[in-house]
């Protein structure tokens, strides 16, 4: 795994524990979980886009 450690790096982790596979499957399709998942995906897209734009604009000339 290639880990970047600079100003464009970010970490995100969710640790969950379920009593059973059935509980996990219920969680995955829960409307609130789906809403949060979409929100987090959107935030990560913004971070990626901002990071890529910054790197493009601040690439040293050779």
């Amino acid at each position: 795994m290639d880990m970047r450690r600079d100003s464009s790096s970010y970490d995100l982790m969710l640790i969950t524990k379920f009593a059973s596979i059935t509980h996990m499957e219920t969680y995955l399709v829960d409307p609130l979980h789906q809403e949060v998942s979409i929100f987090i995906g959107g935030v990560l897209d913004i971070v990626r886009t901002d990071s890529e734009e910054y790197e493009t604009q601040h690439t040293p000339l050779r």
Side-chain angles (χ1 to χ4, degrees):
M1 177 188 304
D2 183 24
M3 300 292 289
R4 292 174 51 178
R5 296 289 179 203
D6 58 28
S7 61
S8 66
S9 297
Y10 55 91
D11 296 317
L12 178 66
M13 180 182 291
L14 173 65
I15 299 173
T16 56
K17 185 175 182 179
F18 300 96
S20 69
I21 294 293
T22 303
H23 286 108
M24 183 190 73
E25 290 169 342
T26 301
Y27 164 79
L28 291 174
V29 297
D30 181 271
L32 184 56
H33 168 75
Q34 293 294 315
E35 186 178 335
V36 170
S37 181
I38 290 168
F39 173 78
I40 291 172
V43 169
L44 294 178
D45 286 343
I46 291 168
V47 169
R48 270 189 228 104
T49 301
D50 286 351
S51 175
E52 290 167 2
E53 288 177 9
Y54 178 86
E55 289 174 6
T56 300
Q57 294 172 3
H58 295 87
T59 302
L61 298 175
R62 296 175 200 237

